[in-house]
Amino acid sequence: MERERATFRERHAGSGRLAEAAKANLLYGVPMNWMTRWPGDHPVYVERAEGARFWDVDGNEFVDFCLGDTGGMAGHAPKAAVDAIAEQAGRGITLMLPTEDAEWVGREMARRFGVPTWSFTLTATDANRFVIRWARALTGRDKIAVHNWCYHGTVDDTFATLDATGEVVAREGNTGKPVPLAETTRVVEINDLEGLEAALAQGDVAACLFEPALTNIGIVLPDPGYHERVRELCSAYGTLLIIDETHTISAGPGGCTQAWNLAPDFVTIGKTLGAGIPCAAYGMSEAVAASIYANTDYETADVGGTGGTLAGNALSLAAMRATLGEVLTDEAFVRMIGLGERFEDGVRSVIDSRALPWHVTRLGCRVEYLFRPDPARNGTEAAAGQDPELDGLIHLYLLNRGILMTPFHNMSLMSPATTAEDVDRHTEVFGQAADELAG
Ligand SMILES: Cc1ncc(COP(=O)(O)O)c(C=O)c1O
């Protein structure tokens, strides 16, 4: 680790100077606090990014498998999106009036995710906050249910975990919680259908807000049949089912909802839809839309706690139309998922050939390795299998050899611009790291 830290300092003198200067006026010395999580003494300062690569201010080149933690999954600065964004920016950015692109995007989202009615926000966090409000309003119930070790953005009600005795508590690091989390939230393990039934049977859960597979504590895949039963239980107990596809869009153009034929009441998604321009969306079934029309007041919709001044702006919609129409297309996903398989095979060959007690998991074009022998079946197992020290070393080792992974666990994403050579380069360097570690 010391050797790798020294290498980092040598390669990043310019970033080091900028990071030092930023300490004066930026909280934690960074523009946004997640940026403290990178390996090395400070973040790398970017000079420019294109496709699956970026260059830093010291002239180093990187293959980017982090891709802005999914915000850049369309690849950096894809030409079709950049052209559309530039063109729209020159014709007006935000008016609180619709543009023609909105109808196209709504239709395309309905095609992909199978629910017909859509609304737009600026972040996936907001999409989740708004559907929680709708769900409470429509059901007249207070509580929501989430998976243990979920992450759905900075949404108050979701920042809960189970403690060792199975009680709902505020998640470690939950800053300034408004009320004790057990008042708003039930927490269940993914793949625990009995636990889910017990949580819903009390009749006070407005909605389950679930990722179809956990992605924020490493990837935890659902058991076969899990989602069919989740749907049945939600319907049986009058609970609405919200599927958050913000990360799991890696499974295909319509996320797991399309790939696994899910039937949610609401879908939420953000991050990658506009090639990095802030935009997100939530969709709903015909029945939910009908219920909203029947039970809520159109006249006061603007002060009802959903929406936002800049949401649905002209620039976001133009970015989404170009990104969905020309960049993250059905065909692009076929290539991206093929590269995900190549990445997974490469990592597995390194693990198997060195007989390491690690494993690799994949969800479409998202691949993750964890330093435990077998895949976790739930959030608790996945959390127990984290090894922050080893994560940090691997991240720094890769970074020093021109490869960027997310700073959170060991996630890699393939974009339409990622190449087989990029993937093979990762396999090679990961193999070198494994050799050094295994002695
Ligand atoms: C599954 C999921 N939903 C929602 C969000 C929130 O996205 P944002 O931070 O862009 O609001 C995240 C962020 O990581 C996420 O992983």
Side-chain angles (χ1 to χ4, degrees):
M1 191 65 168
E2 275 317 311
R3 183 195 71 197
E4 294 300 320
R5 284 208 181 107
T7 306
F8 178 87
R9 281 192 284 270
E10 271 163 40
R11 281 166 54 91
H12 297 288
S15 284
R17 279 191 295 277
L18 290 167
E20 202 43 49
K23 282 184 188 159
N25 294 108
L26 300 185
L27 184 64
Y28 298 121
V30 285
M32 190 272 289
N33 48 341
W34 298 6
M35 295 184 196
T36 58
R37 295 289 302 277
W38 293 104
D41 299 355
H42 51 75
V44 166
Y45 275 66
V46 176
E47 197 268 318
R48 76 191 165 90
E50 192 183 329
R53 280 164 198 274
F54 72 93
W55 291 263
D56 71 11
V57 293
D58 291 289
N60 300 301
E61 179 175 339
F62 297 87
V63 177
D64 189 358
F65 288 107
C66 165
L67 295 168
D69 196 32
T70 309
M73 196 176 98
H76 299 299
K79 185 168 171 10
V82 169
D83 287 352
I85 291 162
E87 208 267 332
Q88 182 61 51
R91 291 192 294 132
I93 293 172
T94 193
L95 302 100
M96 225 179 75
L97 284 169
T99 49
E100 206 184 318
D101 293 327
E103 187 271 332
W104 188 96
V105 177
R107 195 157 21 96
E108 176 63 6
M109 294 300 279
R111 179 189 77 81
R112 289 181 182 229
F113 294 95
V115 289
T117 304
W118 288 82
S119 188
F120 299 99
T121 66
L122 288 183
T123 65
T125 297
D126 271 354
N128 284 327
R129 288 198 309 110
F130 298 167
V131 294
I132 287 173
R133 295 187 82 112
W134 285 125
R136 286 195 170 121
L138 298 182
T139 60
R141 297 174 175 188
D142 288 339
K143 290 212 166 43
I144 64 146
V146 297
H147 284 142
N148 201 22
W149 291 102
C150 69
Y151 185 77
H152 295 282
T154 52
V155 181
D156 285 327
D157 323 64
T158 63
F159 257 32
T161 44
L162 293 174
D163 70 9
T165 63
E167 293 300 312
V168 173
V169 291
R171 186 176 173 149
E172 188 187 17
N174 183 337
T175 312
K177 60 182 185 309
V179 291
L181 270 292
E183 285 183 20
T184 58
T185 308
R186 296 243 158 78
V187 180
V188 293
E189 297 283 4
I190 190 172
N191 292 324
D192 176 10
L193 288 163
E194 263 179 39
L196 179 61
E197 180 152 20
L200 302 189
Q202 298 175 53
D204 56 358
V205 177
C208 289
L209 170 55
F210 289 166
E211 277 194 291
L214 295 186
T215 64
N216 284 301
I217 187 79
I219 296 172
V220 181
L221 295 171
D223 290 342
Y226 177 70
H227 280 291
E228 284 84 342
R229 189 68 189 137
V230 168
R231 177 65 272 177
E232 283 170 12
L233 288 172
C234 284
S235 299
Y237 291 106
T239 296
L240 294 167
L241 176 59
I242 306 163
I243 291 288
D244 180 346
E245 292 278 15
T246 302
H247 279 178
T248 48
I249 191 178
S250 63
C256 294
T257 298
Q258 187 191 66
W260 300 344
N261 215 7
L262 306 184
D265 298 299
F266 285 104
V267 173
T268 57
I269 181 166
K271 293 204 181 186
T272 191
L273 293 179
I277 292 288
C279 46
Y282 60 93
M284 65 198 78
S285 68
E286 203 178 329
V288 169
S291 180
I292 287 180
Y293 289 134
N295 295 305
T296 57
D297 180 5
Y298 190 69
E299 290 301 316
T300 54
D302 60 330
V303 289
T306 66
T309 314
L310 300 179
N313 68 73
L315 190 69
S316 297
L317 268 308
M320 282 191 268
R321 182 175 186 163
T323 305
L324 297 173
E326 297 176 66
V327 186
L328 287 174
T329 57
D330 291 8
E331 301 73 44
F333 270 98
V334 173
R335 254 202 81 248
M336 291 152 69
I337 291 171
L339 288 171
E341 288 165 353
R342 189 181 183 102
F343 195 108
E344 179 188 23
D345 291 346
V347 170
R348 185 167 291 126
S349 72
V350 168
I351 292 173
D352 289 352
S353 60
R354 277 87 169 167
L356 293 163
W358 302 347
H359 78 276
V360 57
T361 321
R362 183 176 62 80
L363 184 63
C365 65
R366 169 182 289 264
V367 192
E368 175 102 33
Y369 36 92
L370 251 84
F371 303 122
R372 49 170 277 146
D374 45 11
R377 273 203 63 228
N378 58 41
T380 298
E381 284 184 22
Q386 304 289 311
D387 188 336
E389 204 181 356
L390 190 48
D391 282 2
L393 175 58
I394 296 276
H395 292 189
L396 191 56
Y397 194 101
L398 292 167
L399 191 76
N400 283 339
R401 290 154 188 81
I403 294 169
L404 187 82
M405 313 212 356
T406 58
F408 320 111
H409 38 100
N410 303 297
M411 188 277 286
S412 291
L413 271 178
M414 314 299 134
S415 75
T418 308
T419 64
E421 292 72 41
D422 296 338
V423 169
D424 295 347
R425 174 76 184 137
H426 170 271
T427 306
E428 188 190 330
V429 176
F430 180 61
Q432 285 169 15
D435 284 342
E436 284 207 55
L437 280 165

PDB file of all heavy atoms in Angstrom, residues 5-21 41-45 56-60 62 400:
ATOM      1  N   ARG A   5       0.845   4.166  -2.733  1.00  0.00           N
ATOM      2  CA  ARG A   5       0.560   5.564  -2.360  1.00  0.00           C
ATOM      3  C   ARG A   5       1.649   6.485  -2.901  1.00  0.00           C
ATOM      4  O   ARG A   5       1.363   7.570  -3.414  1.00  0.00           O
ATOM      5  CB  ARG A   5       0.500   5.701  -0.832  1.00  0.00           C
ATOM      6  CG  ARG A   5      -0.781   5.170  -0.256  1.00  0.00           C
ATOM      7  CD  ARG A   5      -1.131   5.905   1.051  1.00  0.00           C
ATOM      8  NE  ARG A   5      -2.367   5.336   1.572  1.00  0.00           N
ATOM      9  CZ  ARG A   5      -2.438   4.540   2.638  1.00  0.00           C
ATOM     10  NH1 ARG A   5      -1.360   4.246   3.332  1.00  0.00           N
ATOM     11  NH2 ARG A   5      -3.583   4.059   3.016  1.00  0.00           N
ATOM     12  N   ALA A   6       2.892   6.038  -2.810  1.00  0.00           N
ATOM     13  CA  ALA A   6       4.010   6.861  -3.304  1.00  0.00           C
ATOM     14  C   ALA A   6       3.890   7.035  -4.818  1.00  0.00           C
ATOM     15  O   ALA A   6       4.083   8.139  -5.352  1.00  0.00           O
ATOM     16  CB  ALA A   6       5.335   6.206  -2.931  1.00  0.00           C
ATOM     17  N   THR A   7       3.537   5.956  -5.516  1.00  0.00           N
ATOM     18  CA  THR A   7       3.359   6.042  -6.974  1.00  0.00           C
ATOM     19  C   THR A   7       2.268   7.054  -7.305  1.00  0.00           C
ATOM     20  O   THR A   7       2.402   7.877  -8.215  1.00  0.00           O
ATOM     21  CB  THR A   7       2.974   4.657  -7.555  1.00  0.00           C
ATOM     22  OG1 THR A   7       3.945   3.720  -7.150  1.00  0.00           O
ATOM     23  CG2 THR A   7       2.861   4.680  -9.061  1.00  0.00           C
ATOM     24  N   PHE A   8       1.169   6.987  -6.544  1.00  0.00           N
ATOM     25  CA  PHE A   8       0.052   7.913  -6.770  1.00  0.00           C
ATOM     26  C   PHE A   8       0.537   9.359  -6.635  1.00  0.00           C
ATOM     27  O   PHE A   8       0.242  10.208  -7.480  1.00  0.00           O
ATOM     28  CB  PHE A   8      -1.082   7.620  -5.779  1.00  0.00           C
ATOM     29  CG  PHE A   8      -2.254   8.558  -5.921  1.00  0.00           C
ATOM     30  CD1 PHE A   8      -3.271   8.294  -6.824  1.00  0.00           C
ATOM     31  CD2 PHE A   8      -2.336   9.723  -5.161  1.00  0.00           C
ATOM     32  CE1 PHE A   8      -4.348   9.159  -6.961  1.00  0.00           C
ATOM     33  CE2 PHE A   8      -3.406  10.592  -5.296  1.00  0.00           C
ATOM     34  CZ  PHE A   8      -4.415  10.303  -6.194  1.00  0.00           C
ATOM     35  N   ARG A   9       1.304   9.627  -5.589  1.00  0.00           N
ATOM     36  CA  ARG A   9       1.763  11.011  -5.356  1.00  0.00           C
ATOM     37  C   ARG A   9       2.651  11.480  -6.510  1.00  0.00           C
ATOM     38  O   ARG A   9       2.521  12.606  -6.998  1.00  0.00           O
ATOM     39  CB  ARG A   9       2.509  11.108  -4.028  1.00  0.00           C
ATOM     40  CG  ARG A   9       1.562  11.167  -2.838  1.00  0.00           C
ATOM     41  CD  ARG A   9       2.278  11.558  -1.556  1.00  0.00           C
ATOM     42  NE  ARG A   9       3.044  10.451  -1.020  1.00  0.00           N
ATOM     43  CZ  ARG A   9       2.569   9.547  -0.157  1.00  0.00           C
ATOM     44  NH1 ARG A   9       1.332   9.628   0.283  1.00  0.00           N
ATOM     45  NH2 ARG A   9       3.325   8.582   0.281  1.00  0.00           N
ATOM     46  N   GLU A  10       3.529  10.587  -6.983  1.00  0.00           N
ATOM     47  CA  GLU A  10       4.420  10.952  -8.108  1.00  0.00           C
ATOM     48  C   GLU A  10       3.627  11.278  -9.371  1.00  0.00           C
ATOM     49  O   GLU A  10       3.948  12.204 -10.091  1.00  0.00           O
ATOM     50  CB  GLU A  10       5.325   9.762  -8.464  1.00  0.00           C
ATOM     51  CG  GLU A  10       6.624   9.699  -7.725  1.00  0.00           C
ATOM     52  CD  GLU A  10       7.201   8.292  -7.845  1.00  0.00           C
ATOM     53  OE1 GLU A  10       7.111   7.696  -8.949  1.00  0.00           O
ATOM     54  OE2 GLU A  10       7.698   7.795  -6.813  1.00  0.00           O
ATOM     55  N   ARG A  11       2.571  10.481  -9.623  1.00  0.00           N
ATOM     56  CA  ARG A  11       1.824  10.640 -10.886  1.00  0.00           C
ATOM     57  C   ARG A  11       0.825  11.791 -10.849  1.00  0.00           C
ATOM     58  O   ARG A  11       0.270  12.157 -11.888  1.00  0.00           O
ATOM     59  CB  ARG A  11       1.054   9.346 -11.197  1.00  0.00           C
ATOM     60  CG  ARG A  11       1.908   8.244 -11.804  1.00  0.00           C
ATOM     61  CD  ARG A  11       1.168   6.899 -11.775  1.00  0.00           C
ATOM     62  NE  ARG A  11      -0.153   6.940 -12.386  1.00  0.00           N
ATOM     63  CZ  ARG A  11      -0.414   6.679 -13.669  1.00  0.00           C
ATOM     64  NH1 ARG A  11       0.559   6.378 -14.490  1.00  0.00           N
ATOM     65  NH2 ARG A  11      -1.642   6.718 -14.125  1.00  0.00           N
ATOM     66  N   HIS A  12       0.558  12.342  -9.643  1.00  0.00           N
ATOM     67  CA  HIS A  12      -0.570  13.284  -9.541  1.00  0.00           C
ATOM     68  C   HIS A  12      -0.211  14.595  -8.847  1.00  0.00           C
ATOM     69  O   HIS A  12      -1.003  15.117  -8.054  1.00  0.00           O
ATOM     70  CB  HIS A  12      -1.748  12.598  -8.832  1.00  0.00           C
ATOM     71  CG  HIS A  12      -2.264  11.419  -9.593  1.00  0.00           C
ATOM     72  ND1 HIS A  12      -2.982  11.538 -10.751  1.00  0.00           N
ATOM     73  CD2 HIS A  12      -2.109  10.093  -9.384  1.00  0.00           C
ATOM     74  CE1 HIS A  12      -3.269  10.338 -11.219  1.00  0.00           C
ATOM     75  NE2 HIS A  12      -2.747   9.443 -10.415  1.00  0.00           N
ATOM     76  N   ALA A  13       0.945  15.149  -9.188  1.00  0.00           N
ATOM     77  CA  ALA A  13       1.383  16.391  -8.531  1.00  0.00           C
ATOM     78  C   ALA A  13       0.392  17.528  -8.803  1.00  0.00           C
ATOM     79  O   ALA A  13       0.042  18.293  -7.900  1.00  0.00           O
ATOM     80  CB  ALA A  13       2.777  16.761  -9.021  1.00  0.00           C
ATOM     81  N   GLY A  14      -0.078  17.635 -10.036  1.00  0.00           N
ATOM     82  CA  GLY A  14      -1.008  18.715 -10.402  1.00  0.00           C
ATOM     83  C   GLY A  14      -2.324  18.574  -9.659  1.00  0.00           C
ATOM     84  O   GLY A  14      -2.861  19.543  -9.100  1.00  0.00           O
ATOM     85  N   SER A  15      -2.880  17.357  -9.626  1.00  0.00           N
ATOM     86  CA  SER A  15      -4.113  17.122  -8.859  1.00  0.00           C
ATOM     87  C   SER A  15      -3.874  17.450  -7.389  1.00  0.00           C
ATOM     88  O   SER A  15      -4.747  18.018  -6.720  1.00  0.00           O
ATOM     89  CB  SER A  15      -4.558  15.659  -8.969  1.00  0.00           C
ATOM     90  OG  SER A  15      -5.144  15.401 -10.218  1.00  0.00           O
ATOM     91  N   GLY A  16      -2.712  17.090  -6.883  1.00  0.00           N
ATOM     92  CA  GLY A  16      -2.375  17.347  -5.481  1.00  0.00           C
ATOM     93  C   GLY A  16      -2.428  18.835  -5.171  1.00  0.00           C
ATOM     94  O   GLY A  16      -2.979  19.242  -4.145  1.00  0.00           O
ATOM     95  N   ARG A  17      -1.884  19.645  -6.060  1.00  0.00           N
ATOM     96  CA  ARG A  17      -1.894  21.105  -5.834  1.00  0.00           C
ATOM     97  C   ARG A  17      -3.335  21.632  -5.829  1.00  0.00           C
ATOM     98  O   ARG A  17      -3.728  22.434  -4.982  1.00  0.00           O
ATOM     99  CB  ARG A  17      -1.064  21.813  -6.914  1.00  0.00           C
ATOM    100  CG  ARG A  17       0.450  21.791  -6.628  1.00  0.00           C
ATOM    101  CD  ARG A  17       1.205  22.718  -7.572  1.00  0.00           C
ATOM    102  NE  ARG A  17       1.140  22.302  -8.968  1.00  0.00           N
ATOM    103  CZ  ARG A  17       1.944  21.365  -9.525  1.00  0.00           C
ATOM    104  NH1 ARG A  17       2.863  20.766  -8.793  1.00  0.00           N
ATOM    105  NH2 ARG A  17       1.821  21.044 -10.791  1.00  0.00           N
ATOM    106  N   LEU A  18      -4.137  21.175  -6.793  1.00  0.00           N
ATOM    107  CA  LEU A  18      -5.531  21.637  -6.867  1.00  0.00           C
ATOM    108  C   LEU A  18      -6.316  21.195  -5.621  1.00  0.00           C
ATOM    109  O   LEU A  18      -7.120  21.957  -5.071  1.00  0.00           O
ATOM    110  CB  LEU A  18      -6.204  21.101  -8.132  1.00  0.00           C
ATOM    111  CG  LEU A  18      -5.684  21.723  -9.432  1.00  0.00           C
ATOM    112  CD1 LEU A  18      -6.171  20.925 -10.643  1.00  0.00           C
ATOM    113  CD2 LEU A  18      -6.139  23.179  -9.557  1.00  0.00           C
ATOM    114  N   ALA A  19      -6.075  19.968  -5.186  1.00  0.00           N
ATOM    115  CA  ALA A  19      -6.778  19.449  -4.001  1.00  0.00           C
ATOM    116  C   ALA A  19      -6.407  20.262  -2.764  1.00  0.00           C
ATOM    117  O   ALA A  19      -7.272  20.565  -1.921  1.00  0.00           O
ATOM    118  CB  ALA A  19      -6.446  17.976  -3.794  1.00  0.00           C
ATOM    119  N   GLU A  20      -5.157  20.638  -2.667  1.00  0.00           N
ATOM    120  CA  GLU A  20      -4.698  21.427  -1.523  1.00  0.00           C
ATOM    121  C   GLU A  20      -5.400  22.787  -1.509  1.00  0.00           C
ATOM    122  O   GLU A  20      -5.924  23.233  -0.492  1.00  0.00           O
ATOM    123  CB  GLU A  20      -3.173  21.590  -1.644  1.00  0.00           C
ATOM    124  CG  GLU A  20      -2.422  21.893  -0.378  1.00  0.00           C
ATOM    125  CD  GLU A  20      -2.859  21.080   0.844  1.00  0.00           C
ATOM    126  OE1 GLU A  20      -2.979  19.839   0.739  1.00  0.00           O
ATOM    127  OE2 GLU A  20      -3.093  21.718   1.893  1.00  0.00           O
ATOM    128  N   ALA A  21      -5.450  23.427  -2.698  1.00  0.00           N
ATOM    129  CA  ALA A  21      -6.073  24.749  -2.795  1.00  0.00           C
ATOM    130  C   ALA A  21      -7.571  24.678  -2.463  1.00  0.00           C
ATOM    131  O   ALA A  21      -8.128  25.589  -1.845  1.00  0.00           O
ATOM    132  CB  ALA A  21      -5.869  25.320  -4.195  1.00  0.00           C
ATOM    133  N   ASP A  41      -4.321  10.024  -1.876  1.00  0.00           N
ATOM    134  CA  ASP A  41      -4.448  11.077  -0.867  1.00  0.00           C
ATOM    135  C   ASP A  41      -5.568  12.066  -1.184  1.00  0.00           C
ATOM    136  O   ASP A  41      -6.036  12.797  -0.322  1.00  0.00           O
ATOM    137  CB  ASP A  41      -3.145  11.897  -0.781  1.00  0.00           C
ATOM    138  CG  ASP A  41      -1.969  11.027  -0.382  1.00  0.00           C
ATOM    139  OD1 ASP A  41      -2.203   9.837  -0.092  1.00  0.00           O
ATOM    140  OD2 ASP A  41      -0.836  11.528  -0.355  1.00  0.00           O
ATOM    141  N   HIS A  42      -5.978  12.127  -2.432  1.00  0.00           N
ATOM    142  CA  HIS A  42      -6.973  13.107  -2.888  1.00  0.00           C
ATOM    143  C   HIS A  42      -7.541  12.610  -4.206  1.00  0.00           C
ATOM    144  O   HIS A  42      -6.961  11.718  -4.835  1.00  0.00           O
ATOM    145  CB  HIS A  42      -6.294  14.477  -3.081  1.00  0.00           C
ATOM    146  CG  HIS A  42      -5.059  14.389  -3.936  1.00  0.00           C
ATOM    147  ND1 HIS A  42      -5.116  14.228  -5.295  1.00  0.00           N
ATOM    148  CD2 HIS A  42      -3.739  14.377  -3.600  1.00  0.00           C
ATOM    149  CE1 HIS A  42      -3.882  14.153  -5.766  1.00  0.00           C
ATOM    150  NE2 HIS A  42      -3.029  14.235  -4.775  1.00  0.00           N
ATOM    151  N   PRO A  43      -8.662  13.201  -4.668  1.00  0.00           N
ATOM    152  CA  PRO A  43      -9.188  12.772  -5.964  1.00  0.00           C
ATOM    153  C   PRO A  43      -8.271  13.217  -7.105  1.00  0.00           C
ATOM    154  O   PRO A  43      -7.508  14.176  -6.968  1.00  0.00           O
ATOM    155  CB  PRO A  43     -10.544  13.468  -6.078  1.00  0.00           C
ATOM    156  CG  PRO A  43     -10.718  14.314  -4.895  1.00  0.00           C
ATOM    157  CD  PRO A  43      -9.496  14.237  -4.044  1.00  0.00           C
ATOM    158  N   VAL A  44      -8.404  12.529  -8.225  1.00  0.00           N
ATOM    159  CA  VAL A  44      -7.709  12.919  -9.450  1.00  0.00           C
ATOM    160  C   VAL A  44      -8.537  14.015 -10.121  1.00  0.00           C
ATOM    161  O   VAL A  44      -9.764  13.872 -10.233  1.00  0.00           O
ATOM    162  CB  VAL A  44      -7.587  11.676 -10.371  1.00  0.00           C
ATOM    163  CG1 VAL A  44      -7.203  12.069 -11.775  1.00  0.00           C
ATOM    164  CG2 VAL A  44      -6.617  10.668  -9.767  1.00  0.00           C
ATOM    165  N   TYR A  45      -7.905  15.097 -10.523  1.00  0.00           N
ATOM    166  CA  TYR A  45      -8.636  16.186 -11.201  1.00  0.00           C
ATOM    167  C   TYR A  45      -8.672  15.912 -12.707  1.00  0.00           C
ATOM    168  O   TYR A  45      -7.646  15.665 -13.317  1.00  0.00           O
ATOM    169  CB  TYR A  45      -7.965  17.537 -10.913  1.00  0.00           C
ATOM    170  CG  TYR A  45      -8.445  18.142  -9.611  1.00  0.00           C
ATOM    171  CD1 TYR A  45      -8.151  17.535  -8.399  1.00  0.00           C
ATOM    172  CD2 TYR A  45      -9.218  19.300  -9.606  1.00  0.00           C
ATOM    173  CE1 TYR A  45      -8.609  18.072  -7.205  1.00  0.00           C
ATOM    174  CE2 TYR A  45      -9.673  19.849  -8.413  1.00  0.00           C
ATOM    175  CZ  TYR A  45      -9.368  19.226  -7.217  1.00  0.00           C
ATOM    176  OH  TYR A  45      -9.826  19.755  -6.037  1.00  0.00           O
ATOM    177  N   ASP A  56      -6.319  13.197 -16.968  1.00  0.00           N
ATOM    178  CA  ASP A  56      -6.278  14.075 -15.809  1.00  0.00           C
ATOM    179  C   ASP A  56      -5.361  15.266 -16.079  1.00  0.00           C
ATOM    180  O   ASP A  56      -4.721  15.364 -17.139  1.00  0.00           O
ATOM    181  CB  ASP A  56      -5.904  13.308 -14.542  1.00  0.00           C
ATOM    182  CG  ASP A  56      -4.447  12.857 -14.518  1.00  0.00           C
ATOM    183  OD1 ASP A  56      -3.652  13.307 -15.372  1.00  0.00           O
ATOM    184  OD2 ASP A  56      -4.096  12.052 -13.634  1.00  0.00           O
ATOM    185  N   VAL A  57      -5.310  16.177 -15.109  1.00  0.00           N
ATOM    186  CA  VAL A  57      -4.558  17.420 -15.304  1.00  0.00           C
ATOM    187  C   VAL A  57      -3.043  17.185 -15.344  1.00  0.00           C
ATOM    188  O   VAL A  57      -2.282  18.070 -15.725  1.00  0.00           O
ATOM    189  CB  VAL A  57      -4.876  18.458 -14.199  1.00  0.00           C
ATOM    190  CG1 VAL A  57      -6.316  18.943 -14.309  1.00  0.00           C
ATOM    191  CG2 VAL A  57      -4.609  17.882 -12.805  1.00  0.00           C
ATOM    192  N   ASP A  58      -2.612  15.969 -14.966  1.00  0.00           N
ATOM    193  CA  ASP A  58      -1.185  15.639 -15.047  1.00  0.00           C
ATOM    194  C   ASP A  58      -0.856  14.882 -16.332  1.00  0.00           C
ATOM    195  O   ASP A  58       0.264  14.385 -16.491  1.00  0.00           O
ATOM    196  CB  ASP A  58      -0.780  14.797 -13.831  1.00  0.00           C
ATOM    197  CG  ASP A  58      -0.831  15.625 -12.550  1.00  0.00           C
ATOM    198  OD1 ASP A  58       0.030  16.507 -12.386  1.00  0.00           O
ATOM    199  OD2 ASP A  58      -1.758  15.416 -11.733  1.00  0.00           O
ATOM    200  N   GLY A  59      -1.846  14.751 -17.217  1.00  0.00           N
ATOM    201  CA  GLY A  59      -1.605  14.099 -18.505  1.00  0.00           C
ATOM    202  C   GLY A  59      -1.725  12.582 -18.474  1.00  0.00           C
ATOM    203  O   GLY A  59      -1.425  11.910 -19.467  1.00  0.00           O
ATOM    204  N   ASN A  60      -2.186  12.016 -17.358  1.00  0.00           N
ATOM    205  CA  ASN A  60      -2.392  10.557 -17.307  1.00  0.00           C
ATOM    206  C   ASN A  60      -3.709  10.188 -17.998  1.00  0.00           C
ATOM    207  O   ASN A  60      -4.693  10.917 -17.898  1.00  0.00           O
ATOM    208  CB  ASN A  60      -2.459  10.075 -15.850  1.00  0.00           C
ATOM    209  CG  ASN A  60      -1.195  10.394 -15.082  1.00  0.00           C
ATOM    210  OD1 ASN A  60      -0.109   9.963 -15.466  1.00  0.00           O
ATOM    211  ND2 ASN A  60      -1.322  11.151 -14.002  1.00  0.00           N
ATOM    212  N   PHE A  62      -6.840   7.322 -18.506  1.00  0.00           N
ATOM    213  CA  PHE A  62      -7.508   6.252 -17.758  1.00  0.00           C
ATOM    214  C   PHE A  62      -8.620   5.618 -18.589  1.00  0.00           C
ATOM    215  O   PHE A  62      -9.332   6.313 -19.319  1.00  0.00           O
ATOM    216  CB  PHE A  62      -8.159   6.813 -16.489  1.00  0.00           C
ATOM    217  CG  PHE A  62      -7.177   7.400 -15.523  1.00  0.00           C
ATOM    218  CD1 PHE A  62      -6.783   8.727 -15.644  1.00  0.00           C
ATOM    219  CD2 PHE A  62      -6.627   6.630 -14.516  1.00  0.00           C
ATOM    220  CE1 PHE A  62      -5.875   9.277 -14.762  1.00  0.00           C
ATOM    221  CE2 PHE A  62      -5.714   7.172 -13.635  1.00  0.00           C
ATOM    222  CZ  PHE A  62      -5.326   8.495 -13.760  1.00  0.00           C
ATOM    223  N   ASN A 400      -3.310   3.397 -10.460  1.00  0.00           N
ATOM    224  CA  ASN A 400      -1.915   3.681 -10.808  1.00  0.00           C
ATOM    225  C   ASN A 400      -1.521   3.073 -12.144  1.00  0.00           C
ATOM    226  O   ASN A 400      -0.478   3.404 -12.702  1.00  0.00           O
ATOM    227  CB  ASN A 400      -0.973   3.150  -9.717  1.00  0.00           C
ATOM    228  CG  ASN A 400      -0.952   4.061  -8.499  1.00  0.00           C
ATOM    229  OD1 ASN A 400      -1.307   5.242  -8.593  1.00  0.00           O
ATOM    230  ND2 ASN A 400      -0.546   3.527  -7.357  1.00  0.00           N
TER     231      ASN A 400
END
